[in-house]
Amino acid sequence: MTAETADTAEPADGATGPGGPGERRREQRGWYFYDFACSVYSTSVLTVFLGPYLTSVAKAAADPDGFVHPLGVPVRAGSLFAYAVSASLVLAIVLMPVVGAAADRTGRKKPLLAAAAYTGAAATTAMFFLDGHRYLLGAFLLIVANAATAVAMMLYNAYLPQIAEPDERDDVSSRGWAFGYTSGALVLVLNLILYSGHDSFGLSESEAVRICLAAAGVWWGVFTVIPLRRLRDRAAATARRDAVGAGGSGWRQLRATLADMRRHPLTLSFLLAYLVYNDGVQTVISQASVYGSEELGLGQSTLITAVLLVQVLAVAGALAMGRTARVYGAKRTILASLAVWTLILVAGYFLPAGSPVFFYVLAAAIGLVLGGSQALSRSLFSHLVPRGKEAEYFSAYEMSDRGLSWLGPLVFGLAYQLTGSYRDAIISLVVFFVVGSVLLARVPVRRAVAAAGNPVPERI
């Protein structure tokens, strides 16, 4: 090891180390702030502003038939944003296993986290220059920022089993999500003030949107300094350090990781359950605005307010579900949240058109279970990861979260195509929560934790 590594590295055997509980709490507080830093990208950029704005830029550059021609390929302007998101996920799927393997082999997650975070922040800040007909620039920056987000989150998540003792992880993970939703709501409020009052600020609508996009990148970059100052690298196991010197490649390590995961079938069983129910969660979030506008006839201001309501209540929901998990365990709490998700879809099916109040009630219910189900899924998975392989296993988790959530939108689209009803489309998503619940209920999590070689918490 270099002198710097020797000074900063910790043993690879979990959260304990010479720093003691006080130092561990300091790391945890720093860890929360990465979610605080990057969540504004997901909320203000990806969910609210970039999709409509990039589409408008592409339409301005389109030919009379409504097509743009990136690299000579005809693409309908309205599809550019979706295609760019898909391309970013493909890039993320390629990068995450390689970066995760490198992080675990070297024990140097922090430099890789810094590189991914600041690549994403820089690309997001550069969206300020997305004007006129620069749709290619917008698509490129979106691909870079979204892929960087996925890689950075994979590394960030991999710190959880190293900075928190087994009995702490539900609370620590929930607080991280709460920090993220807090910043997402705060920045969204500021952005909506600027966007709604752009005339009074002497700005055009385009300038206001570009400032909102760039401000998210600046926020991301500034607050990333806190976790980078407080998190510490852990020394890799000797065998894994030697693998680097032996010339092991990231893809060779990926094959080894997949083979290793087959030796932990209970961990894979949890990942399968998570893949199914998380696909349902992500589809509800991505299609809720379409359902609200097309089926319920609600205006853009109502939809944006609903997004803000989800962000605010997700803070309380994440913290409340974290406390509930202390009493009933993470698995039971997640199963209860999946039952609530199912009831939300049933209620959404019967929601009357043109009634924003009922839509807000549904948004509030989503907010209360959204953060908690995500936070507890992350903390539960952290118990199922063999020590020293956190980043590699969390690359598979992150791919399940971001790279493989395509089946839900497909089912939603097919249901609408076959029935012509968004109500039938939204109720079709119930299957993901029912099947996911059944698969999760069948996972013996205490045995899975022990099989991964980790201490079994009193409540899980």
Side-chain angles (χ1 to χ4, degrees), residues 345-417:
L345 291 177
V346 173
Y349 178 84
F350 293 105
L351 212 60
S355 178
V357 173
F358 288 108
F359 191 73
Y360 289 148
V361 171
L362 210 62
I366 289 174
L368 290 174
V369 292
L370 175 61
S373 57
Q374 291 174 320
L376 294 179
S377 296
R378 177 173 63 186
S379 63
L380 180 54
F381 182 70
S382 74
H383 293 284
L384 311 181
V385 177
R387 289 179 179 177
K389 300 180 181 180
E390 292 85 5
E392 293 173 53
Y393 273 61
F394 267 106
S395 71
Y397 180 87
E398 196 68 17
M399 282 192 286
S400 297
D401 190 11
R402 297 175 183 270
L404 301 179
S405 295
W406 54 271
L407 186 57
L410 177 62
V411 169
F412 185 92
L414 287 175
Y416 178 74
Q417 181 173 328

Side-chain angles (χ1 to χ4, degrees), residues 11-36:
D13 59 347
T16 59
E23 186 62 30
R24 191 171 70 248
R25 296 285 187 270
R26 183 176 186 275
E27 270 198 284
Q28 289 170 4
R29 288 191 290 270
W31 186 78
Y32 301 148
F33 267 96
Y34 185 71
D35 226 327
F36 190 85

